[in-house]
Amino acid sequence: MSAMPQMMEAGDGALAAAAALLQSGAIVAVPTETVYGLAADAENGKAVARIFEAKGRPQFNPLICHVDGLAMAQRYGRFNETALKLADAFWPGPLTIVVPLAEDCALHPLVTAGLGTVGLRQPKGVAAQIITALGRPLAAPSANASGKISPTTAQAVAASLGSKVPLILDDGPCAIGLESTIVAVNGEKVTLLRPGGIAVEEIEALLGAPVLHAGADAGVQAPGMMASHYAPDAAMRLDAHDVGADEALLAFGPDRIAGQPLAMDNLSPAGDLVEAAANLFAMLAALDATGAARIAVEPIPEHGLGAAINDRLRRAAAPRGTP
Ligand code: TXA
Ligand code: MG
């Protein structure tokens, strides 16, 4: 038996309630013109981890970062002339633009799954108002359980996520009902990563040039497909039951394995998987930066967010250069 989540019709009071919840690190289901999104403050790692937990997503794939306009987008992503042209023509609207991260970008690394790029989109309506109220972007995938279809009504969100989300804002059925089109911008090259609410032909008409297709001719791959994106310089040794003096240790929980590592970070001394997920990318990077030849990782339970954490660690441990 799970309690029904709170559902509120989108109006001033509901927007303020949503912004307050997001400010406190909670997740909220919000309507956009494409599909309902499961949103969290994109600068708050624990909040972003709760998205993966609620969806039961077994992998940390990068999330779309929703902004209230180009000014906010440029705090997080670097827009060249081509990217500016796309944003100018199609925002607010169902186009997600993948660009390199801005310098001193304050996004939590879970949003980008540790990549050097970020997918940005300015949605229409209620979602944009909440972002303005929060003053920070919202990371939001579609508000459905992992592997299920994207919800286009508040009732569909409730049916899919049930009590896992404290608040669902109801603004009726989504106008488009299909996810955003995702393109990556690389210099003057624009590559389609996912077809969606804006037709490729419209983009090509604007650019006066063909849109490339991922994989085939673009030299760009869908994220999560390349293990090398995830590889630290150090070798990885997972599920370690002891640690050597030449190794750095990525620990988890209150109990330590035997040995004296040359450096250590603990994903969560309390053994909390939400906290561990939020710390994962930064701690891997920090241990890698110690110059240790190898990072030993304590066993991490496979339930809840542990599945996604272990998936990410296995990718980091995969032989280098494998797709
Ligand atoms: O319409 C939409 O796009 C909806 C609403 C809520 O905005 N969101 C959505 O998010 O469909 P999601 O998480 O279901 O899909 C996000 C897609 C993923 O396939 C992810 O791989 C891609 O966006 N993506 C996000 N950031 C990326 C990046 N930096 N590079 C490449 N792909 C990225
Ligand atoms: Mg989805």
Side-chain angles (χ1 to χ4, degrees):
M1 279 276 293
S2 56
M4 282 301 287
Q6 192 185 6
M7 205 183 284
M8 288 174 87
E9 266 180 48
D12 290 349
L15 298 198
L21 275 170
L22 290 162
Q23 175 71 44
S24 76
I27 53 175
V28 176
V30 297
T32 82
E33 76 277 45
T34 59
V35 299
Y36 276 71
L38 187 59
D41 176 350
E43 294 189 8
N44 180 335
K46 274 198 188 180
V48 176
R50 288 190 184 101
I51 293 176
F52 291 94
E53 181 183 51
K55 283 181 69 90
R57 249 196 201 182
Q59 293 187 340
F60 293 128
N61 40 354
L63 304 176
I64 293 172
C65 182
H66 299 74
V67 293
D68 67 357
L70 185 61
M72 185 183 280
Q74 287 181 303
R75 299 200 327 238
Y76 301 92
R78 286 208 305 274
F79 283 68
N80 66 11
E81 234 175 276
T82 305
L84 285 174
K85 203 168 167 180
L86 289 168
D88 188 52
F90 296 114
W91 282 5
L95 183 71
T96 296
I97 308 174
V98 175
V99 295
L101 285 176
E103 229 172 282
D104 301 322
C105 174
L107 283 185
H108 190 274
L110 259 192
V111 176
T112 61
L115 297 174
T117 55
V118 55
L120 291 155
R121 161 168 122 78
Q122 180 189 357
K124 285 185 181 151
V126 175
Q129 289 171 257
I130 295 170
I131 294 163
T132 299
L134 184 68
R136 289 189 295 280
L138 291 177
S142 49
N144 50 278
S146 180
K148 306 291 188 213
I149 58 165
S150 298
T152 57
T153 63
Q155 290 71 29
V157 176
S160 190
L161 294 177
S163 59
K164 295 196 177 86
V165 50
L167 175 62
I168 301 172
L169 278 193
D170 184 358
D171 197 28
C174 300
I176 294 175
L178 186 71
E179 287 98 337
S180 62
T181 299
I182 306 180
V183 294
V185 176
N186 254 306
E188 287 184 1
K189 284 198 290 188
V190 176
T191 304
L192 180 70
L193 299 182
R194 181 179 74 183
I198 287 190
V200 170
E201 290 84 347
E202 277 187 77
I203 300 171
E204 293 182 326
L206 173 82
L207 298 173
V211 166
L212 308 178
H213 288 262
D217 42 10
V220 175
Q221 279 179 293
M225 290 178 63
M226 269 166 56
S228 60
H229 270 147
Y230 294 91
D233 291 330
M236 302 284 300
R237 191 163 69 81
L238 306 188
D239 209 20
H241 291 276
D242 51 50
V243 59
D246 60 337
E247 294 181 311
L249 178 64
L250 188 61
F252 175 79
D255 306 316
R256 288 293 66 71
I257 57 174
Q260 291 290 332
L262 59 79
M264 184 186 85
D265 262 325
N266 193 330
L267 288 168
S268 171
D272 172 3
L273 288 165
V274 171
E275 180 180 39
N279 283 331
L280 179 64
F281 290 101
M283 287 186 178
L284 261 185
L287 291 179
D288 200 27
T290 64
R294 199 159 49 244
I295 300 172
V297 185
E298 289 186 355
I300 293 165
E302 190 65 34
H303 63 81
L305 279 178
I309 293 170
N310 283 320
D311 170 77
R312 172 65 180 76
L313 289 168
R314 281 191 288 268
R315 286 167 192 273
R320 305 302 146 85
T322 32

